[in-house]
Amino acid sequence: MLLEDIKLSELPSVDLLKIAQLPNCAAIYFVSDSKNQVIYIGRTLNLVERWRNHHRFKQLKRLNRKDRISISWMACSQDVNALSSLENKLIDLYKPPLNWTKVISPIRKITPSEIALQQSLQQLAQLNTMIFGFDPIADEEPPTIYLVYPVYGKRGLSGSIRSVLKNINKKASSLKWKEYYTDPKSLGKFGYWSTIYNGIRIDLAPFQGLVHFMNTTYKTVAGVELMAFSHDQLEVFLENTSSEVKESISCLDVLEDDPIPIKFVDQYQPDNGKHKNIVEVEPWEELEPMPEGEIREMTRQFLYVDGVEVEVCSNVNEKYFVRHNVYWWIVFESKNPDPVSQNVIGNLKNFIDKLPTIKWSGYRFRLETIVFSEDDVEVESVLLPLAMFESLIREAKFHSAGKLTEELKSGEYKPKPDDRANIKLCAWLQHNSLSSLLQTKNS
C-alpha cells in the first residue's frame, strides 16, 4: 500500500485526555488538531504504555485547551527497523511541525504552513527581494520559483535574510527554510535558501547588482506581492550570462500567474525592535525626471547643528533632499563644484559604493534645474535624499585626524571649537537625525 493512500480519518482515534483507551499494540501514531492537521508522528512497540508517560503530553495538553487534540494510530508489526523506517517516511510525507521543535519549547499555537510562508515572503519583500522567474518543468527538481535578494560586492542583506528565515523556522510549523549553501567568507558569506510548499520549491539566492533591475513590476507568490523581473530584464540578463548558466535555467521564464494561489492573510505584525539584527530597507526617495522644458519646484529650510548650516529642500510630497553643493561645502569646503571638471556624479557614486550598507547602491544621480518657490531662485544641482546625506556624513573617514573616526563611532569624541563642519555634523549624527529638526506641514 502506498503511504499516500493512508486515510487518517478512517484510522481509530481517541481524544488526548482519554489515552487510557489506547490499545496495547505496536503502532505508528498520529497526533492531529481539530482541523485534521498532523502535528506530530511517532512509533512505539506498546501504544498505551508509551502515552502513559509521553514526553510531549504536557506540551500537547496546553494546546488542547484551545484546540481539540486527538491521537490516531495504525497497528504495525513489532519489527523495530520496519517501524523506524515507516515513521521516517511518514514524517517526510506529512512534515508534522512538532517533530522539528524541542520538547521544552513553550508551544502556544501551531502556525499553518501557508501562514508561515506568507509571513516569510512579506518580510523578504521588505528586504527588496525580487521574483527572478519560474521554472514549471518538473524533472529531477519540482517546479521552482526563483527569488533573489540584493548584494553589492561583499555587502548585502544576507544577515537580515538569515535572521528572518531562522525566526520563521522557530515557529511550530511544517514549513521550514533550509540554507543549502553559503558562500565562503571571502565572497561575502551570502546564504542560499529553499523551502517546499505543496510540491512547489521556492529558491532564494543572492544577486549581484540587483539594484539595477529594481522596477515597478509586481507579481504575487502565495498571495504576497513582490517586485519581479520583466520579460525584457530577464532577456537582458540571459543574453549576458554564460552558456552554462543558460543551460541550467533553460526552462526559466518570467512569473505570470501565482503558482501558489492561496488567499492572503495578513497575520504578520512586526516585532517592535525584538529582533535587533533585522534591518529595514527603505525605498529610494528618487524623484521622477521632469518633462522636457519644465523645472522642479521646491521649498527649502535651513537647519543649524553646532553652528553648521544645512539647507534641506522638499517637494510637494514632503520628500526631503540635500543639494550636492551643500554636501561639497560641508565635507570639502568647496563652494559650487563644477559638475563636469569635478566629476560630481561619478564621485557621488564612489562615495555611495564605500558605505557599509548597500541601501543606496545603484542610485541614479542626475543634474537637474530646480527653483525655490519662496524667493524664485533657480539653481542646478544633484539632489541627495536626506537619509543618504546623513549616511554619507556618518560614515565619513577622517584620514588626517588619526583616531578621530574611531572616537566618533565609539562616542569618545570631545568637540573642539575649531573643528571643521563635517566633523561637528558627523559627531552630532552619531546619535541624532536631521529629520527631528525639520519643520513639516503638520508641525
Side-chain angles (χ1 to χ4, degrees), residues 11 15 69 73 100-101 131 140 180 189 315 326 333 370 387:
L11 295 177
D15 289 342
I69 305 297
W73 66 92
W100 283 285
T101 63
I131 301 169
E140 293 181 4
Y180 63 87
K189 208 175 180 180
N315 66 351
V326 177
E333 296 184 343
I370 61 176

Side-chain angles (χ1 to χ4, degrees), residues 70 76 98 144 155 173 269 339:
S70 62
C76 302
L98 292 191
T144 301
R155 296 169 292 151
S173 172
Q269 295 294 333

